[in-house]
Structure formats: C-alpha cells, structure tokens
Amino acid sequence: MNLIEVKNLSIQFGGLTAVDNVSFAIKPNEIFGLIGPNGAGKTTVFNMLSGFYQADHGEIIFNGNTITDLKPHTINRLGIARTFQNIRLFKGLSVVENVIVALQQREKHTWLDSLLETKKFYQTEKILFEHSIALLKIFELDRYKNHLANALPYGAQRKLEIVRALATQPKLLMLDEPAAGMNHSEKAELNDLVRFIKNKFQLTILIIEHDMKVIMNICDRIVVLHRGQKIAEGVPLDIKASPPVIEAYLGKRIT
Amino acid sequence: MIRMIQISRWTQALIFLIGFLILGIALHFFLNSYIHAILISFMINAIMALSLNFITGLADQFSLGHAGLMAVGAYTSALLSKELLSDHWFFIPLTVLAAGLVTSFVGYLVSLPSFKLKGDYLAIVTLGMAEIVRVLILNWNSVGGPRGYNAIIKFPNFLLSYSFSVFVLVVTFVVLFRLKKSWYGRNLWALNEDDIAAEVMGLDLVQSKRNAFIISSFFAGIGGGVYAHHLGYISPGSFSFLISVQILIMAVLGGLGSMSGSVIAAFILTILPEVLRSLPTGSVDVRMIVYPIILILMMILRPQGLLGRMELLEFLRSKNWIRS
Ligand SMILES: Nc1ncnc2c1ncn2[C@@H]1O[C@H](COP(=O)(O)OP(=O)(O)OP(=O)(O)O)[C@@H](O)[C@H]1O
Ligand SMILES: [Mg+2]
C-alpha cells in the first residue's frame, strides 16, 4: 500500500505548463526526494499536494482518500504537513506560541472555558505549553521559547518551521528546501534530525532539496523533475548515474 | 513605580462594581445632564470601537459599515420595545439583547460572500450593507423614514441608564478580552500574521473570520440598542458613513488589537470635541482644525496607536512604569 499516490498531475499558468503529467507514489516510512533544476516545478507539486493550487489534470490519493480538490486546512487535518521554501512563521508570535497554534487545532476547547477562565482552561493551556516545549527540545529550540519567531537565527527559523509542522501530527511531512541557507554542520545535523523524527513519529517524508549531499545521504528514492516533467525515478545511486539527469543539471555534452 | 497587589479576580470585580456604583451615585447628584449624556456617549462609542477592533484588529478584516450594524441594532431594539413589548423601560435589556442577536444574523449574511476570497472584500461588502440598511430605513415609513424614529423608551433616570451602559460595556470588554486571550484569539493572531501558514496548520480561515465577524456584529447591534434607548430618537442620519469612520478612528487610535486601547481612545475622542466646542473662538469651528491635526500627529508619532496591540497593564509593564 502506498501512503500517497500522485497520478498524471498537470497544472498550467497562462501558457506555461509548470507541472506536466507527473506521477509517483510514496510508501509509508520512506524518505522520498523531489529534485530538479530551478523552475522545474517542485514547489508547484507541493502546492498542489497541500491544496493551495488546483491541478488542471490528474489525481492525488492520500491514505485511501482522493484529496485533489480539498482545501489546505482539510488536507492538513487528514495528515499532510509542510514547510515553505521562503519561511512562513508567525513572525510576531513567540517561538512557543508558533508551536501552540499548530497544536491547538487538535485540542478540544470550549468558548465557555476561556470566557470564565475555568480550571480546564488553565489545564489545557498548560498541556499545550508543555507539549510545545517537548517538541522544541528535540530541535534544541526550547531555549528560545519566549523570543519572537522572527528574532531567531535563520537556521533556527527553518527548524522551527519543521517543529510547527510536526505539531500538527502528520503522517506525511513535506519539506521544501530545509537546508537552504544552512552551513555545513547545520546540514549534517539536519540529516540526523530528519532521520530521527521519521523514526520517532512514524513519518513518511517528501523532501525538496538542492544540496546533493543531503539528498543522496538521506533519501530512499528520488524523483527528478525537469521543466515540469518527470525525467527519472529511482534509488540515489541510479539517479546519480542517470544520463538524462546529468544532462538536465549540466546541459548536453558538446561533441 | 507602583507595585500591584495580588487579589483574586472576584474581589477585583467586586471592588470595580462598588466603585462604579458609588461613582454613578456621585455623578447623579453632582453633575449636570450635559455631562451625563457625554459619559453615556463615551460608553456607547467604546462598545462600538471594541466591536470593530475585534474584527479589524484581531482578524485583520476591515469593516467600513459598522454604523450600518449599529443601525440594525438600534432600530430592532426600538421597534421591539414599541411594537411588541409594552414599551416599558424594564424590557430595555431584553430588547437590546435581541438587537444583538438580530444584528449578528445580519453579520452572518454579510460574512457569506465576504470571506470566499482572500483580500479586503469585507470592507466593500460592509460598505454596501450599511448603504442598503440606510436606504431601507429611509423608505420604511412605520419607523419614520427620513424623519426618524421618535419617542423611544428611555430609562427613567441617569443612575439606571448609567448602570446599564456600564454593565454592557464591561460585559463587552470582558468577553472580547477573554476571547483575545483564548485559543480563538491566538488563531486570529496567527492568521493575521500569515494566513497561508495558518491554513497549513489546519486552521479553517473562512470559518474563523466568519465567527469573528458574527461576534463583532453582535456587539455592534448591542451598542446600537443602547444608543437608541439613550437618545430616545434615531434617524438614518445617525448612522452615516462618517460614523463608521469615526468608530474606525477610535479603534486605530487606541491600537488595533488592543481592547483597553479602544476604551481609552473612545474616551479621548468623545471628550475632545466637547472640550474644543467650549473654546471661545467665535464663529470659527476649531474642532474641524484641531481634530484632523491630532490624527495626523498620531499617524506620524505613533502609527501603531496608543497601546499598539498590547493591553494597558502589558503596556505599562513594558515601559517599566509598574511592576508585575
Ligand atoms: N502562481 C504562479 N503563477 C505563475 N507561475 C508560477 C506560479 N507558481 C509557479 N510558477 C512557475 O512555475 C514554474 C515552476 O516553479 P516552481 O516554484 O515549482 O519551481 P521549483 O522547482 O520549486 O524551483 P526552485 O528550485 O527555484 O524553487 C516556474 O516557471 C514558476 O515561475
Ligand atoms: Mg521551489
């Protein structure tokens, strides 16, 4: 059984076909790479999977449900979380509040409890807070808990976005260039973290990344896009040696 | 620096109530009816500013038709007490509550087309709603049409009408303040900061904004009801576009997102025109000069409003003027 299945997905912007008849399937507990040169259509695939863009053709089946036309919040509730290539934190909220916002969508609250400040209100707030801190600890972000999100260093902001996505308790976590802007040691640390959270939370991970070291190191399988089309699919070693992939990245050899 | 004493909430509430009652009795005997009227106007303005601040400050959705909602509340309450209930002041709280409910239903109708797309559509729809309400009232003869609706039942004395207004204002403030501090307020902040990220967290944008506008409409209707029974006379002109703008100015001056800021701003902007009116300037209306100057200065010096998005105590603490 596949966790997610993408069938013949296409979308056009004006005359440009950004994603052209792309299909792939991801098994549970896989780390699946989505790579390709700039403008290949990777982020556009994420936007369709998470409900922000409506595909012109094709179908997305997640965990047995067709989610092609669903809204982003419904898709998230079914178990897909994502991060963004250009970080999207709640900038004016504190680090811990960023995580609480994600967590509280799954908590049962009543209006009356908050209105009357009942014991239950404080209990729920306390549980949310402690749960957030526990998640932040995994990424060593708990020491920043009261900082505003936009006051964090760049690498920490990327990590906070992952924590926030995790807090929605997803089955599939989609990371859009999580290593962008990170230095060498941060990238190495990220590799370990991705593997760690995958095992700890029983996740399936779909990752877009330009850094080949990161991709080749952690992915079980990879799909390569080029100008909206799928040009290769396979395990890292095969992808590395695939002539169409080399050509897409380096251009045609001059003979 | 002042040190705050820790006392329980109920004690605070009790002290507050007793204080207000004593103040009310004192005002009743020592001040003239002109000041009485200004005081109640302030409270009505504060209710309206709070209501608008909830949708505009927290949910980041501009409403340009709050006067329209106020009109719905005012006419509902006036009509109900005159036509249905025996026109006794005893029923005013009841008809005002009904006015809130009816207005929140109007708010629901307005919200249907407003949040389908992202963007400032609410501003346009509320603008249209206020105009429709105005034209409807103008052409509705049994509520006086353009001549206005007369002889609406009032409270028999200042003390009663003062107590009622205080009660409504306090309830409005506490409810909206608590909602701001609850999970729901946090949701509104989050979607205000980044609606796309909020959606990815599983937050239903349309539903959240819609609820916020319905709540806001409820209190706007209540404010309208209090207004009708305070003046005893309402007309379509009492709820013009200028009134919507005035309410918006109060919310912005106090600080979008700051509930206590709205109350302070309503106080300042209710008192200020009266103070300016009393200046000996002959035939020149200085209000028309001073009022805009104050607003322009405000935009230059404190564009985020008096308190920004903080509440009064948080603001004082952040300035180290009081210790927590
Ligand atoms: N909303 C949109 N409107 C118009 N064109 C778009 C839109 N979104 C994406 N595109 C276009 O689709 C193509 C694919 O963009 P996409 O962002 O998916 O690329 P990418 O593979 O993520 O590239 P990068 O590695 O630079 O992030 C680009 O040509 C882009 O300009
Ligand atoms: Mg991209």
Side-chain angles (χ1 to χ4, degrees), chain A residues 52 72-73 76-77 82 84 88 90-93 100-102 104-106 109-111 114-115 117 121 125 128 164, chain B residues 9 118 175 178-179 181-184 186-187 189-190 193-194 196-204 206 211 215 309:
Chain A
F52 285 103
H73 69 94
N76 173 263
R77 277 156 188 266
R82 69 171 287 187
F84 294 89
R88 284 184 168 274
F90 304 124
K91 295 192 180 74
L93 266 58
I100 290 179
V101 167
Q104 73 181 13
Q105 308 305 328
R106 271 91 195 145
H109 303 263
T110 67
W111 301 78
S114 2
L115 217 56
E117 289 185 68
F121 168 79
E125 286 289 295
L128 286 172
R164 200 181 56 173
Chain B
R9 251 165 221 287
K118 286 179 190 170
V175 169
R178 285 307 315 156
L179 284 179
K181 295 288 176 188
S182 74
W183 57 277
Y184 181 63
R186 206 154 39 215
N187 271 353
W189 269 137
E193 292 278 346
D194 192 319
I196 290 180
E199 274 185 289
V200 174
M201 300 296 107
L203 196 155
D204 187 341
V206 175
N211 287 345
I215 293 169
R309 56 164 80 162

Side-chain angles (χ1 to χ4, degrees), chain B residues 15 26 32 44 50 61 74 90 106 125 142 155 189 203 210 215 221 226 228 232 240 265:
Chain B
I15 293 174
N32 60 30
I44 294 165
L50 283 166
Q61 296 291 308
F90 200 76
V106 173
V125 180
S142 55
F155 283 105
W189 269 137
L203 196 155
R210 184 167 288 170
I215 293 169
V226 176
S240 65

Side-chain angles (χ1 to χ4, degrees), chain B:
Chain B
M1 277 198 286
I2 308 159
R3 214 198 173 92
M4 302 296 285
I5 319 159
Q6 283 296 323
I7 39 176
S8 90
R9 251 165 221 287
W10 293 111
T11 328
Q12 282 177 29
L14 201 69
I15 293 174
F16 185 79
L17 268 182
I18 293 173
F20 253 97
L21 221 64
I22 293 175
L23 187 67
I25 293 168
L27 292 171
H28 181 64
F29 287 112
F30 296 115
L31 289 177
N32 60 30
S33 58
Y34 169 62
I35 307 241
H36 289 168
I38 294 175
L39 256 177
I40 294 187
S41 288
F42 145 64
M43 290 192 263
I44 294 165
N45 285 336
I47 294 166
M48 294 309 299
L50 283 166
S51 148
L52 181 68
N53 204 343
F54 194 70
I55 183 72
T56 303
L58 290 186
D60 197 25
Q61 296 291 308
F62 270 87
S63 162
L64 290 178
H66 249 54
L69 295 170
M70 193 179 177
V72 172
Y75 275 87
T76 306
S77 193
L79 253 172
L80 279 178
S81 53
K82 197 169 272 204
E83 308 296 334
L84 270 184
L85 299 165
S86 52
D87 214 6
H88 192 282
W89 65 265
F90 200 76
F91 292 118
I92 292 177
L94 208 65
T95 57
V96 167
L97 181 66
L101 295 174
V102 169
T103 312
S104 59
F105 180 71
V106 173
Y108 167 74
L109 294 180
V110 167
S111 78
L112 287 179
S114 301
F115 304 124
K116 285 242 166 78
L117 299 168
K118 286 179 190 170
D120 287 327
Y121 293 97
L122 184 69
I124 300 162
V125 180
T126 46
L127 199 62
M129 175 272 298
E131 199 48 31
I132 291 171
V133 167
R134 209 178 60 84
V135 171
L136 279 180
I137 297 171
L138 267 176
N139 292 293
W140 189 355
N141 278 327
S142 55
V143 293
R147 280 167 291 116
Y149 202 19
N150 251 319
I152 302 163
I153 185 75
K154 292 199 214 180
F155 283 105
N157 60 44
F158 170 71
L159 198 55
L160 274 173
S161 102
Y162 170 87
S163 306
F164 180 61
S165 314
V166 169
F167 174 76
V168 175
L169 174 57
V170 169
V171 169
T172 307
F173 181 83
V174 170
V175 169
L176 295 182
F177 178 84
R178 285 307 315 156
L179 284 179
K180 173 185 169 181
K181 295 288 176 188
S182 74
W183 57 277
Y184 181 63
R186 206 154 39 215
N187 271 353
L188 293 180
W189 269 137
L191 77 84
N192 190 335
E193 292 278 346
D194 192 319
D195 53 353
I196 290 180
E199 274 185 289
V200 174
M201 300 296 107
L203 196 155
D204 187 341
L205 288 189
V206 175
Q207 184 92 53
S208 302
K209 291 180 195 169
R210 184 167 288 170
N211 287 345
F213 191 64
I214 292 171
I215 293 169
S216 170
S217 303
F218 175 79
F219 287 107
I222 295 263
V226 176
Y227 177 84
H229 297 287
H230 162 57
L231 285 185
Y233 165 77
I234 49 180
S235 73
S238 332
F239 309 103
S240 65
F241 177 63
L242 273 179
I243 302 294
S244 293
V245 172
Q246 207 181 350
I247 299 167
L248 186 62
I249 289 174
M250 286 178 192
V252 171
L253 177 75
L256 285 177
S258 171
M259 296 300 150
S260 25
S262 279
V263 177
I264 295 169
F267 187 77
I268 295 174
L269 292 183
T270 313
I271 302 295
L272 191 66
E274 302 303 329
V275 173
L276 294 178
R277 193 206 298 279
S278 64
L279 291 180
T281 51
S283 59
V284 188
D285 194 352
V286 271
R287 279 185 299 165
M288 292 312 197
I289 303 165
V290 177
Y291 204 77
I293 288 179
I294 289 174
L295 291 178
I296 291 168
L297 280 180
M298 191 72 201
M299 274 189 290
I300 296 168
L301 299 176
R302 256 194 103 70
Q304 74 274 46
L306 291 171
L307 301 187
R309 56 164 80 162
M310 283 184 266
E311 294 303 330
L312 184 60
L313 285 182
E314 294 160 355
F315 178 77
L316 295 176
R317 248 174 241 144
S318 77
K319 294 272 178 215
N320 263 329
W321 290 340
I322 58 165
R323 247 184 293 166
S324 44

Side-chain angles (χ1 to χ4, degrees), chain A residues 37-44 85-86 176-177 208 210:
Chain A
N38 291 110
K42 307 179 294 292
T43 300
T44 306
Q85 184 170 355
N86 45 344
D176 197 343
E177 302 198 19
I208 296 177
H210 278 298

